[in-house]
Amino acid sequence: MTVVRSKQLLATVSAIAGIAWVSPALAQDADGATAGSDEIVVTGYRGSLSQAIDAKRELSVIADVVSAEDIGKFPDKNVAEALQRVPGIVVNREFGEGERVSLRGTAPNLTKTLLNGHSVATADWFILDQVASTRSFNYLTLPAEIVGRLEVYKSPQADIEEGGVGGTINVITRNPLDLDPFTVSASLQGVYSDLSGKVDPQASGLVSWKNADETFGVLVGAIYQKRRTRRDGLEIFGYRPAGGGQTALIPTLMGSSMFEQERERYGANIGIQFRPSDELEINLTGLYSRFNADNFNQNYLAWGDQALGGGGTLTNAVIQDGIAVAGTIASRNNGTEGFGVVYDAIDRQAVAKTVSADFDLTYRPSDTLSVHFKAGWTKANGDTSNENFIEFAGPGRFTYDLRSGRPEVSFGSPDPLNPAGIRPDFARIQSVTNDDEEKYVYLDLEKEVEWGPLTALKFGVKYTDHDRVAERFATNGGVFTPGLRCNGAPCTSADFATGGGMPGDFLDNIASPGTLTDYWRVDPAKLRAIYAAQTAPGTDRFLVPGNSYSINEKAYGGYGLAKFGGEGWRGNVGVRVIRTDQTSEGFIIGGANPQFTNPFGGFTPSRAKRSYTDILPSANLSVDLSEKVVLRFGAGKTVTRPDFVDITPGVDLNGTLLTGRGGDPNLDPYRANQYDLSIEWYPDRETIVALAAFYKDIQSYIVNTTSTEILPGVFVPGSEPAGCVAAGGGNPNLFNCPYQINRRSNGAGGRNQGFEFQVSRPIWGGFGAVVNYTYSDAKANNGDPIPGNSKHSLNLTGYYENDLVSARLSYNYRSKFFIDIDRAAPLNQAALSSLDASVSVNVTDNIALTADAVNLTNEPIEQYSGTRALPRNIFDNGRQFYFGVRAKF
């Protein structure tokens, strides 16, 4: 065996060194069999591609499939990363991993995710996402190890759950009766993140058993993953007119940030399958996943907006296209009074959890009748149980330059390495909870018939009860800070300091020569200890009404579907009818008779109810133009309900930048008519060449409307932003301020149109390639940009595989796109690419050594505000390297 494997390894190295394209007629498979020889069962990565091609060919709708090549051996490190290899799907890696997916030029919240055919609750780990409370599924809470197959539905079908204007992704888990009688698999890996410089463990295991009669089986899986990460960032929070007779825009805040996190995920799944006869089958499945996501963020910022608003000066300004791209800013009295610098340190304890339990029964009383019943419950929690926020501030004088596209800031005062230059100015403890829960019942009947071209009739009904509840509690920062005590005396900045500066490689990949790359650091342990020692009333928390609400949605509905077909053609036509009863509860600021008060003033509880009905027809047709060519057509109407935060009555306020976001309980859903066309060529079982076109007539985009509203803010007197006026009423810290509020509203429609091209095939001697490209052109009728739409996306995967080695190199690219309105201004992202690699070596038939790498070229993320002349954020997440062993018996 050793001699054989040594020869195979030598052959592999030689083949990789001499890769060449040859005629398909001469192509050999990994086992050396040429075309025309006896059929060989293809396994490994090539086998997974072949299974996915077979599955796609057999589906009755326009769809794509991703198949796990073996138990615990998914093509990428998480499900979202695997999905980005599918034509039309893109991801973003703001924290180094894909978490959400966008499909065919639509935002992530327009993609519906199902688990074994039903919705699965979702929640987020990051506090800003918890507050945003969207419908987009966060795939970090779904372990890839439980997945057997992913189905990406791009055209609607009446018996598929509604909710995906972009499309629907069905995550299918494994069943024990589909596996060998006794199967054990396990993997153990170490992961190295090059920015944090840490090595952490990752492990997973699965055991599956079924009896000899194959009537009963049990599957149990478990995972544990840990990874310590670091993200370096250059951030500009927005732009404002300089004031003082100058109309040029200046950056409000410019910072050098470092985000550190300890990611820890563990979970388990169980599947119990009972098939006592051909007539009856029962599946019980359960999933538990917990993602611990504690994080610590530090950001040392030049505060130009506050310096000028408080009477400071802008000198030596360089104005380009109405933007002060360089200059010197000093706070009042040449940088000795007022505010010109601010330093934020935020320590968060965060978690995201998902639980799902499902009962699935199929009964076939006759050869032509099938009854399917499904009931279940799913719940997710996204909580930041404690956020310790400390802000240091003081007067300052700095010179800045944006002409390199990356902020360069040099402080004349204070010294960024000396904590004595600034003082504690604002302190807050807060918590955010976000709970998502759904109970559901489905019943489907399918009757096979032989009435001319009609082959089957299918009917179904559904009931779902969905709750989203969010709460936010916080201390009163303006009151808390003056009373902040350390060892019996008022706290100073030095009480929080580590005694050292930033890491030596901080910002190495993204800094310009003049960038601030070193400053004194806050010790998170000291921050926690100081806050834990504080006493009431400074630690008393109050409800933040703008981020506290509950949404209940009850959906009643059903569908009818007719299947038809004949020699060389097949299709279906149907209609889905859904009624949604929505109840929104929250708080509005002020009101005629406020019933609730906090340091920000009076709030009145608000409750709004509404109902709406959607009728969603659909039709799909597939025609075999030949034995190897399939033509497909799909048409239908789709709907996606608004994000939960968009249908709340409250307003979320940012007091530092005087911006905010508000909802409207009467928002209508996104609705679209869509048309799809696909032609697919299958020259052999391992090859596909396909071209698909799509057109989505989106009739009701939900858009952003920004206006100025006078709303309350809490500040230490003298530190309030420009334009704020004392509110009176006995609270000297309360001010009425002009906020730029972004409220969501139903705007004009628009359209998404484009095409997808994909090729997958073996080439020669174990080499093969998977290539796909998507063009997506999305426009709103009123000219607004469409969130999540990259006009161009490309995936290239080259692989080599034989009995000994499986190797893949994947390149992923998406062009620039609009993210959303952020802090009352557009937030866009520049083109993003990534090069990933994976290698496994089969030591024996049961044991393999593995190695994976993510973001080999160390590409940063760059964001801007509408134009590249207004840079916003540049993030460097570094590279990730995985190495380990996998076993299966």
Side-chain angles (χ1 to χ4, degrees):
M1 175 67 76
T2 302
V3 173
V4 172
R5 292 197 178 276
S6 297
K7 290 181 178 178
Q8 288 176 330
L9 181 59
L10 179 61
T12 300
V13 174
S14 300
I16 292 176
I19 183 170
W21 182 280
V22 298
S23 167
L26 300 178
Q28 292 183 326
D29 65 304
D31 299 300
T34 58
S37 63
D38 293 339
E39 182 178 352
I40 293 175
V41 176
V42 181
T43 59
Y45 180 65
R46 278 182 56 188
S48 71
L49 293 176
S50 180
Q51 293 169 20
I53 290 171
D54 281 345
K56 176 180 175 67
R57 186 170 187 173
E58 295 302 318
L59 288 171
S60 59
V61 297
I62 296 175
D64 285 289
V65 176
V66 178
S67 177
E69 54 187 287
D70 209 338
I71 296 173
K73 197 177 176 185
F74 213 70
D76 288 272
K77 302 313 297 180
N78 72 36
V79 175
E81 297 281 350
L83 282 167
Q84 73 172 329
R85 316 295 177 198
V86 173
I89 289 185
V90 292
V91 304
N92 202 11
R93 288 176 167 176
E94 281 201 84
F95 290 94
E97 287 185 78
E99 299 186 15
R100 310 170 198 279
V101 301
S102 296
L103 181 53
R104 286 188 161 180
T106 59
N109 61 325
L110 300 184
T111 299
K112 181 76 170 183
T113 297
L114 308 175
L115 181 64
N116 294 320
H118 63 82
S119 297
V120 57
T122 186
D124 292 293
W125 63 267
F126 188 47
I127 190 168
L128 296 183
D129 294 324
Q130 292 167 352
V131 171
S133 193
T134 73
R135 292 184 190 265
S136 60
F137 185 79
N138 191 322
Y139 282 92
L140 286 183
T141 61
L142 186 63
E145 285 77 0
I146 74 168
V147 179
R149 192 168 80 171
L150 301 170
E151 295 177 345
V152 181
Y153 291 96
K154 298 177 177 179
S155 63
Q157 185 167 286
D159 60 349
I160 297 174
E161 182 80 356
E162 79 283 349
V165 164
T168 300
I169 298 169
N170 189 23
V171 179
I172 300 174
T173 59
R174 297 181 180 275
N175 290 318
L177 296 185
D178 297 333
L179 305 178
D180 292 335
F182 185 71
T183 299
V184 177
S185 72
S187 70
L188 179 64
Q189 285 188 314
V191 54
Y192 172 76
S193 300
D194 68 349
L195 277 185
S196 69
K198 306 294 185 181
V199 178
D200 297 301
Q202 305 210 342
S204 66
L206 181 145
V207 178
S208 179
W209 169 88
K210 65 181 178 183
N211 62 5
D213 294 332
E214 298 191 1
T215 59
F216 181 75
V218 179
L219 178 152
V220 178
I223 67 158
Y224 174 79
Q225 298 175 340
K226 181 179 179 179
R227 186 165 71 88
R228 284 168 288 183
T229 71
R230 189 183 107 195
R231 185 183 80 171
D232 296 350
L234 297 172
E235 299 182 83
I236 299 176
F237 283 21
Y239 296 83
R240 292 273 181 86
Q246 300 188 58
T247 58
L249 297 177
I250 62 159
T252 56
L253 290 144
M254 295 175 287
S256 299
S257 68
M258 186 172 73
F259 177 93
E260 299 172 284
Q261 184 175 45
E262 181 172 301
R263 296 186 165 203
E264 186 179 46
R265 179 168 63 192
Y266 52 88
N269 67 293
I270 185 170
I272 301 173
Q273 194 173 11
F274 181 49
R275 190 189 294 156
S277 66
D278 293 339
E279 291 77 27
L280 180 64
E281 179 177 332
I282 297 174
N283 280 278
L284 298 172
T285 58
L287 168 70
Y288 173 80
S289 177
R290 180 184 176 98
F291 185 74
N292 294 330
D294 293 353
N295 56 88
F296 183 61
N297 190 64
Q298 301 169 84
N299 200 352
Y300 198 97
L301 299 126
W303 201 358
D305 180 48
Q306 183 69 6
L308 297 182
T313 59
L314 169 64
T315 58
N316 301 320
V318 178
I319 311 296
Q320 294 180 356
D321 298 325
I323 305 165
V325 297
T328 298
I329 294 178
S331 62
R332 192 171 61 252
N333 197 12
N334 197 30
T336 60
E337 298 177 2
F339 292 91
V341 60
V342 61
Y343 178 15
D344 292 341
I346 312 171
D347 174 60
R348 303 182 181 103
Q349 286 76 55
V351 66
K353 296 181 289 185
T354 298
V355 182
S356 181
D358 188 71
F359 174 85
D360 190 294
L361 180 149
T362 301
Y363 176 56
R364 302 177 183 85
S366 70
D367 292 340
T368 61
L369 180 62
S370 175
V371 180
H372 179 225
F373 175 80
K374 180 185 286 287
W377 165 82
T378 178
K379 184 174 183 178
N381 307 93
D383 301 335
T384 296
S385 59
N386 202 71
E387 179 191 75
N388 296 320
F389 181 102
I390 180 70
E391 184 172 273
F392 310 91
R397 186 176 190 275
F398 59 87
T399 298
Y400 75 95
D401 196 329
L402 304 180
R403 285 173 289 186
S404 68
R406 305 186 176 200
E408 302 176 27
V409 179
S410 176
F411 283 92
S413 65
D415 178 2
L417 290 171
N418 185 357
I422 50 179
R423 65 182 185 274
D425 176 69
F426 182 91
R428 179 184 67 203
I429 302 173
Q430 73 167 337
S431 63
V432 173
T433 60
N434 204 308
D435 299 337
D436 192 50
E437 183 176 15
E438 182 169 295
K439 300 175 281 291
Y440 50 88
V441 178
Y442 301 153
L443 178 65
D444 302 271
L445 303 174
E446 183 169 2
K447 174 67 174 177
E448 295 180 11
V449 298
E450 296 182 0
W451 300 340
L454 193 64
T455 60
L457 294 173
K458 189 175 182 181
F459 301 93
V461 294
K462 67 164 278 188
Y463 169 74
T464 62
D465 187 354
H466 196 111
D467 286 292
R468 176 66 72 103
V469 179
E471 289 185 329
R472 187 175 186 176
F473 288 87
T475 59
N476 185 348
V479 174
F480 185 26
T481 308
L484 197 61
R485 310 291 288 181
C486 293
N487 299 317
C491 293
T492 68
S493 298
D495 292 319
F496 297 85
T498 62
M502 303 302 284
D505 62 348
F506 178 53
L507 297 172
D508 274 1
N509 190 40
I510 57 176
S512 292
T515 298
L516 176 66
T517 58
D518 201 10
Y519 52 86
W520 67 274
R521 296 176 68 179
V522 171
D523 186 337
K526 290 183 178 180
L527 175 60
R528 291 177 208 138
I530 291 172
Y531 277 29
Q534 305 307 304
T535 59
T539 56
D540 292 341
R541 304 190 193 191
F542 60 85
L543 184 72
V544 181
N547 300 125
S548 301
Y549 54 84
S550 65
I551 309 293
N552 176 260
E553 290 177 342
K554 293 181 173 63
Y556 316 81
Y559 69 88
L561 180 72
K563 299 180 180 180
F564 48 82
E567 184 66 28
W569 68 282
R570 59 203 173 277
N572 61 70
V573 63
V575 63
R576 189 174 187 90
V577 180
I578 300 296
R579 175 185 170 89
T580 302
D581 292 345
Q582 170 192 303
T583 303
S584 302
E585 297 185 61
F587 300 90
I588 59 173
I589 297 174
N593 297 293
Q595 303 174 35
F596 176 89
T597 60
N598 67 16
F600 290 89
F603 294 83
T604 301
S606 174
R607 189 170 191 262
K609 300 185 70 173
R610 65 170 304 203
S611 299
Y612 53 89
T613 300
D614 286 282
I615 301 174
L616 308 173
S618 62
N620 293 276
L621 176 65
S622 297
V623 179
D624 296 332
L625 300 181
S626 71
E627 291 183 355
K628 298 181 178 181
V629 179
V630 180
L631 177 68
R632 303 184 197 271
F633 170 78
K637 187 172 184 178
T638 55
V639 63
T640 295
R641 298 175 180 92
D643 284 339
F644 296 104
V645 73
D646 290 342
I647 52 177
T648 65
V651 180
D652 176 28
L653 300 178
N654 183 323
T656 301
L657 296 174
L658 295 187
T659 60
R661 174 173 177 151
D664 179 0
N666 292 310
L667 271 182
D668 289 328
Y670 299 85
R671 294 186 173 102
N673 295 321
Q674 71 174 69
Y675 308 91
D676 300 275
L677 183 67
S678 175
I679 185 165
E680 302 153 11
W681 178 39
Y682 301 91
D684 56 60
R685 290 193 60 189
E686 295 186 67
T687 303
I688 180 176
V689 180
L691 178 65
F694 59 89
Y695 181 87
K696 297 179 184 290
D697 176 17
I698 300 180
Q699 301 167 323
S700 55
Y701 267 118
I702 295 175
V703 299
N704 302 288
T705 303
T706 302
S707 61
T708 301
E709 299 182 24
I710 304 301
L711 297 169
V714 173
F715 306 95
V716 175
S719 70
E720 71 274 10
C724 294
V725 178
N731 184 351
N733 300 300
L734 185 63
F735 294 80
N736 290 324
C737 299
Y739 285 82
Q740 295 297 306
I741 302 298
N742 170 42
R743 290 190 181 272
R744 304 286 274 167
S745 62
N746 289 114
R751 53 112 176 111
N752 286 40
Q753 62 185 8
F755 65 88
E756 303 164 351
F757 176 73
Q758 63 173 307
V759 179
S760 175
R761 73 157 295 127
I763 300 172
W764 170 79
F767 287 101
V770 180
V771 179
N772 65 70
Y773 165 78
T774 301
Y775 173 82
S776 174
D777 182 22
K779 294 181 179 178
N781 293 339
N782 65 355
D784 283 351
I786 304 301
N789 179 68
S790 288
K791 186 167 286 189
H792 307 280
S793 60
L794 175 68
N795 292 279
L796 303 174
T797 298
Y799 64 86
Y800 176 80
E801 189 168 66
N802 63 17
D803 286 344
L804 177 65
V805 173
S806 177
R808 299 191 295 278
L809 188 65
S810 297
Y811 173 79
N812 175 264
Y813 168 86
R814 68 178 298 188
S815 61
K816 64 182 180 179
F817 61 98
F818 170 67
I819 299 175
D820 204 349
I821 296 295
D822 178 72
R823 298 178 174 92
L827 182 63
N828 305 75
Q829 184 161 307
L832 178 68
S833 63
S834 179
L835 185 66
D836 308 326
S838 176
V839 177
S840 66
V841 178
N842 297 318
V843 179
T844 71
D845 291 340
N846 304 105
I847 298 175
L849 302 178
T850 65
D852 303 275
V854 177
N855 193 23
L856 276 169
T857 52
N858 202 20
E859 296 293 327
I861 292 172
E862 299 192 30
Q863 297 175 345
Y864 54 93
S865 185
T867 169
R868 294 299 293 268
L870 297 174
R872 283 287 302 271
N873 306 312
I874 304 172
F875 296 126
D876 176 22
N877 287 289
R879 305 175 183 91
Q880 304 164 37
F881 300 93
Y882 299 79
F883 51 91
V885 61
R886 183 175 57 245
K888 177 190 174 185
F889 301 94

